[in-house]
Each structure stands twice: as structure tokens, then as C-alpha cells.
Amino acid sequence: MPLREHNGGLMTAVKATLVRDLTLLLRRRGEVLNPLVFFALVITLFPIAISPDPELLAVIAPGLLWVAALLAALLSLDSLFRSDYDDGSLEQLLLAPQPLVALSLAKVAVHWLLTGLPLALMAPILGIMLALPAGSYAVLALSLALGTASLSLIGAIGAALTVGLARGGVLLSLLVLPLYIPVLIFGAGAVQAAIFGEGVSAHLAILGALLAASLMLAPWAIAASLRISING
Amino acid sequence: MWAFIHKLGSPKWFYGISAKLQPWFWAAAALLIVTGSLWGLAFAPADYQQGNSFRIIYVHVPAAFLAQSIFIAMAVSGLVFMVWKIKVADMAAAVMAPLGAAMTFVALFSGAVWGVPTWGTWWMWDARLTSMLILLFLYLGVIALRGAFTSRDSASRAASVLAMVGVINIPIIKYSVDWWYTLHQPASFTLTSRPAMPTEMWLPLVIMVLGFYCFFIALTLMRTRSEILRREANKRWVQELVTGQVVKVPAEEAR
Amino acid sequence: MAFDSFSEFLAMGGHAPYVWSAWGVTALLLLATVWHARAEQRQLIKGLKRRARRANSARGNAQ
């Protein structure tokens, strides 16, 4: 096969995967909305459980928002490959001549676009409800947008490993949550630094570095894990 | 080199060579751990700040070292298994995981107990203890994932991938937890960071660390042998090994 | 020797519960892993021997 055609084939396949996944997810709006509703619900629970006092809430708001967003992202992971696994299209993806690494990256990108990004955009509204101090809203959204991309990539490894298992849900969180900790530390740290009026560029740079590292390494692990889950 | 690797990969060969190596490692482990324990418990001087509670260092640090090393060893075995399809490597990885989790637990427990006389509390979100706790979850994840698959080959490959992902993340987790800790608790007392220890304090520590490593190697050899018997039960050499000891003897007695 | 008497050694300068519980749990866990590994090995070999005997006797009956 000439090289040129192969390259063209790759781009077409990636684009086709992107479009297909976007269309499918947009048709099942419930699946897209669930993590967002979950995010809002968890945030509602905390003032009820702790105290409605705005001063107290403002102190814990960065951590709360980050933890709740992280859990919402985790919740959405199980469906990342599940329906494709059930209807056999994941197997088709594996059989495709194009590298699975690129195709799985496209799938993760769609996942982030429809969970991570909406969560990041929604967080400032919930921040208002938690009396998050002014001046940290943009940082909150930005850190979440950067961070959830890493979360989607790392989480996809766990989702790929557990997709073939009947009850993978709890196992998935056990596998993935410990790996989320660095992202949580620097994400929540960025918001905290913004509140204290410190520089946030270092935090955001590290979040970016984490994203770059997961972009480089995670797709390989995702592809290998998908192969194990399908062929095993 | 290649011949050697593939020879090492043969369960039968490994079963034989490990039988010869095993006693030496057990002996070294017993000798080193007994010597280190006596020295550390009874002969090393008490710490000028912490008094005798400092003696917990002689179990805490070796366990913590081992906990981290075993994860790395597990990931390396996983890599060897994935790249060269050497089954013994996966068997070793499978038996390493529970010991690693046990060592992580020992490090956590001894750290928590040490915290009572030092910090006045059973648990402190100290950087070292926090990363140990995360390491424990990583171990539990690998063990649970291996147990979740019905097909042994899938379980092995999945656990290998997870161990490799985990080992890449361990330094990142460690640095971010350290960074997080210094941010929130700038000037506090860490258990094991101290100005240069006198020789009679660190020498028993080195002996204990070496002893724990020998223990790890000896136990891994022993349990890998069991794992070989379990997985290769239907192979002829295993049956010969077993019947060669049992079936012939009564036959000779009957004659 | 860091201690003057055996009772002082046991008392660990007032830190006895901490030192001995940390050391005790460690020792217990190490011994338990060794015991478990031994029991595992014995059981496996016993099971394999039993299987070999059964296979042998089946062959004997067939003859």
C-alpha cells in the first residue's frame, strides 16, 4: 500500500471516529447530562452536610469543586467503551488497518469534549453557590479544562482494562482514583493559589505537563488494554 | 544472552535453579534480620530527640523500601512478560503483589504507631505516609484486576499493563504529594529525615534493609515455584517430578 | 548495649507499646507470609501426588 494513501486513510479514520462518537453521544443526551447533574448534586450536598456559612464554604470550595468534578468525570468513564463493546463496534475498531492508538485517542477526545469541558464550564456557576472568592473563577475553569483532559486519558486506561468485565464499575474507581491524585493536587492547588493572590502559572504549567505526558503515554496503554479486553 | 533469557523463561529450568538458590537467600535473610533486629533494638543508641521510639525506624524504613521496590519489580516482570512472553515473569509478578501490599501495610502501620509518640496522633497527613497509602491502593488495584478476569492470560496481561502504568505514575504521585505537603505544612517534623545519623544507628538499618530484600527474593522464589506447579500441573515434567518421588517408591517396596 | 537491664529493654524508655507493637506486627506478618508460602507449597505437592496416584490406579484398573 502506498504510504500516502495510508496517511490519508488514518486522517479519514480518525475523523470518522470523531464524528461517529460525537453523533452517538449527542443522540444520547442523558449520558452527557448525567455527569453534570451529578456534579451539581454533589456540590449541593456539602453545604447541607457541613454548613451554609459562606465563609466556611469559601475555604473548602476549591477542593470541593475539584473533587466533585473528578468524581463526575470518573462516573462517566464506564460508558466510554461500554456501548461500543456491547454492540461489537469496538472489535471493528481493533480490526481497522489504522493504528488503534490514534483511534482510541479520538474516542478519548470526544469523551473529554462532552464531559470534561462541560464540567469545566459549569464549575464557575457552582463556584458562585459555594461563595468561591472572586478572581479565581477563570482559573477554576481553566484548571478543570486542562485537568479533566488528563483525567479522561488516564481514566480511559482503566475503562479499557475493565470494559470486558461484567462488574467493572467499582474496580474501575479503585484502579483510576489513585492515578488521579497528582492532577487533583495541582488542579485544586491552582484555584487555591488564585484565591490567595499567588501566581497560578506554575500550577497550570504542571497541569499542562501532566496532560502532555498523558497524551504521549496513555494512548499506548489504552490501545494495549483494549486489545487485552477484546481478545482475552 | 537470548538463549539465557529463554532458558530463564522455561518454568522447568527456573524450578530447578530456584531450588538451589532459595536456601541461600533464606539463610541470608534470617541472619541479616536477626542481627539487624538485635543490634537495632538493643545495641543502637537511643535518639536524642525521640528516645527509644526511634527504634521503629528499623522496621518502617526497610518495609517502605521494599514496598516501593516490589512495585518496580512487578512492573519490570510485567514488561518482560509482555515483550518476551516469558510466563515465569508473570508468575513472579503475581506472587509479588500480595507481599508488596503486605509491606506497604507494615510501613503504614509502623509509621502510624511511630506517629503517636512523635506527633501525638495516630495519623498525620505526612507526605511519606500519604504516598504509602496511595501505593497501597495501587497494589490493591493490581491484585483486584488480576482476580477479576476469568481467563488467566487476560488477567496476566491486564495486571502487567496496570503495573507499568502505576510505576510510571509512582514518581509523579510522590513528587506531587511532597510538593502538596510542603505547601500545607511548611516547617514540621518528618519521621525519618534527620541530620546525619551516627554509624551505630544507620549500620543496623542497612543490615535490616538488606535482610528484607533477601527475604523478598527468597519468598518470591518459593512462591513462584508453587505457582509453576499450579499452572503447569498438566505438563509431563511436573508429573514426572511428582510421580518420580511417590509412585516408584511404593512399587519398589512391594517388590 | 543501650540498656542497663532486661526490664529497661522491655520498657523502651516508656515507648514500649509503640516500639513493640510496630515490631510485633512486622514480625507477625513476615512469619505469616512464610507460613502461608510453606502451606501453599505442601498443599500443592500433596494435591499433585494424589492426582498422580489416582491417574495411576485408573491406568492399573484399565489393564
Side-chain angles (χ1 to χ4, degrees), chain B residues 42 55 223 230 234 246-247, chain C residues 2 12 23 40 49 51 56:
Chain B
R55 293 180 201 284
R223 292 207 59 211
R230 189 177 297 142
N234 295 323
V246 189
V247 183
Chain C
M12 280 287 158
W23 276 78
E40 180 191 35
K49 279 182 182 169
R51 230 173 69 167
N56 246 7

Side-chain angles (χ1 to χ4, degrees), chain A residues 23-80:
Chain A
T23 326
L24 271 178
L25 268 178
L26 285 176
R27 271 192 209 144
R28 286 176 306 202
R29 285 207 195 92
E31 223 162 89
V32 179
L33 285 176
N34 275 343
L36 297 176
V37 176
F38 176 83
F39 187 28
L41 252 170
V42 170
I43 291 299
T44 314
L45 294 180
F46 279 95
I48 294 171
I50 298 170
S51 144
D53 175 21
E55 272 177 44
L56 184 68
L57 287 177
V59 176
I60 54 172
L64 274 190
L65 286 162
W66 250 94
V67 170
L70 185 146
L71 292 177
L74 177 75
L75 188 76
S76 68
L77 279 179
D78 195 46
S79 61
L80 176 53

Side-chain angles (χ1 to χ4, degrees), chain A residues 161 228, chain B residues 74 77-79 81-82 86-87 89-91 93-94 142 145-147 149 151-164 227 231:
Chain A
L161 281 172
I228 294 166
Chain B
M74 205 167 72
S77 306
L79 183 72
F81 171 67
M82 291 293 271
I86 291 174
K87 279 187 191 146
D90 175 60
M91 298 183 200
V142 173
L145 186 67
R146 191 182 278 277
F149 282 86
S151 135
R152 177 169 283 153
D153 188 52
S154 304
S156 304
R157 292 195 295 153
S160 302
V161 168
L162 188 64
M164 285 188 270
E227 192 70 17
R231 293 198 198 177

Side-chain angles (χ1 to χ4, degrees), chain B residues 37 41-44 50 52-53 55 58 102-103 106 109 113 116 215 222-223 226 230 233-234 242-243 246-247, chain C residues 1-3 9 12-13 15 18-19 21 23 25-26 29-30 33-34 36 38 40-41 44 49 51-52 56:
Chain B
S37 298
L41 273 175
F43 292 93
Q50 301 180 35
N52 284 311
S53 69
R55 293 180 201 284
Y58 297 116
M103 282 300 134
V106 164
F109 181 84
V113 168
V116 183
F215 177 85
M222 184 170 180
R223 292 207 59 211
S226 300
R230 189 177 297 142
N234 295 323
V242 175
T243 52
V246 189
V247 183
Chain C
M1 194 74 175
F3 301 95
F9 172 65
M12 280 287 158
H15 290 314
Y18 314 119
V19 174
S21 65
W23 276 78
V25 165
T26 312
L29 238 147
L30 290 188
T33 48
V34 175
H36 167 250
R38 277 179 69 95
E40 180 191 35
Q41 198 174 36
L44 268 167
K49 279 182 182 169
R51 230 173 69 167
N56 246 7

Side-chain angles (χ1 to χ4, degrees), chain B:
Chain B
M1 179 69 193
W2 284 109
F4 177 72
I5 285 182
H6 281 281
K7 211 171 154 195
L8 196 69
S10 140
K12 186 183 173 186
W13 184 82
F14 185 89
Y15 195 85
I17 192 82
S18 57
K20 291 195 194 95
L21 287 174
Q22 207 188 338
W24 296 101
F25 280 106
W26 281 122
L31 192 73
L32 288 167
I33 291 178
V34 168
T35 315
S37 298
L38 282 177
W39 195 345
L41 273 175
F43 292 93
D47 187 66
Y48 70 100
Q49 246 181 333
Q50 301 180 35
N52 284 311
S53 69
F54 148 83
R55 293 180 201 284
I56 296 175
I57 200 176
Y58 297 116
V59 288
H60 177 74
V61 167
F65 270 32
L66 210 52
Q68 290 168 350
S69 305
I70 292 178
F71 207 99
I72 297 170
M74 205 167 72
V76 171
S77 306
L79 183 72
V80 169
F81 171 67
M82 291 293 271
V83 175
W84 290 295
K85 307 278 169 233
I86 291 174
K87 279 187 191 146
V88 173
D90 175 60
M91 298 183 200
V95 301
M96 277 178 207
L99 182 66
M103 282 300 134
T104 316
F105 173 77
V106 164
L108 272 176
F109 181 84
S110 55
V113 168
W114 196 356
V116 183
T118 316
W119 299 315
T121 164
W122 285 94
W123 183 261
M124 181 97 144
W125 289 97
D126 162 71
R128 192 180 292 263
L129 286 183
T130 309
S131 10
M132 270 293 144
L133 186 64
I134 299 169
L135 186 64
L136 181 63
F137 291 133
L138 287 174
Y139 270 119
L140 295 181
V142 173
I143 295 171
L145 186 67
R146 191 182 278 277
F149 282 86
T150 39
S151 135
R152 177 169 283 153
D153 188 52
S154 304
S156 304
R157 292 195 295 153
S160 302
V161 168
L162 188 64
M164 285 188 270
V165 170
V167 93
I168 293 171
N169 272 277
I170 284 174
I172 300 173
I173 292 172
K174 215 172 152 43
Y175 282 115
S176 49
V177 168
D178 282 350
W179 180 88
W180 158 81
Y181 185 68
T182 48
L183 189 77
H184 289 270
Q185 247 96 14
S188 99
F189 187 69
T190 321
L191 283 177
T192 46
S193 76
R194 53 183 55 255
M197 255 192 258
T199 318
E200 61 266 40
M201 271 180 165
W202 65 254
L203 208 56
L205 185 59
V206 172
I207 293 175
M208 282 300 268
V209 169
L210 288 176
F212 270 55
Y213 274 103
C214 286
F215 177 85
F216 157 59
I217 296 171
L219 192 82
T220 306
L221 287 178
M222 184 170 180
R223 292 207 59 211
T224 306
R225 285 161 60 80
S226 300
E227 192 70 17
I228 288 175
L229 289 184
R230 189 177 297 142
R231 293 198 198 177
E232 308 255 297
N234 295 323
K235 294 273 165 69
R236 207 171 71 192
W237 71 270
V238 172
Q239 285 168 351
E240 271 171 11
L241 189 85
V242 175
T243 52
Q245 286 164 351
V246 189
V247 183
K248 267 183 196 161
V249 175
E252 273 166 13
E253 275 171 3
R255 216 180 296 155

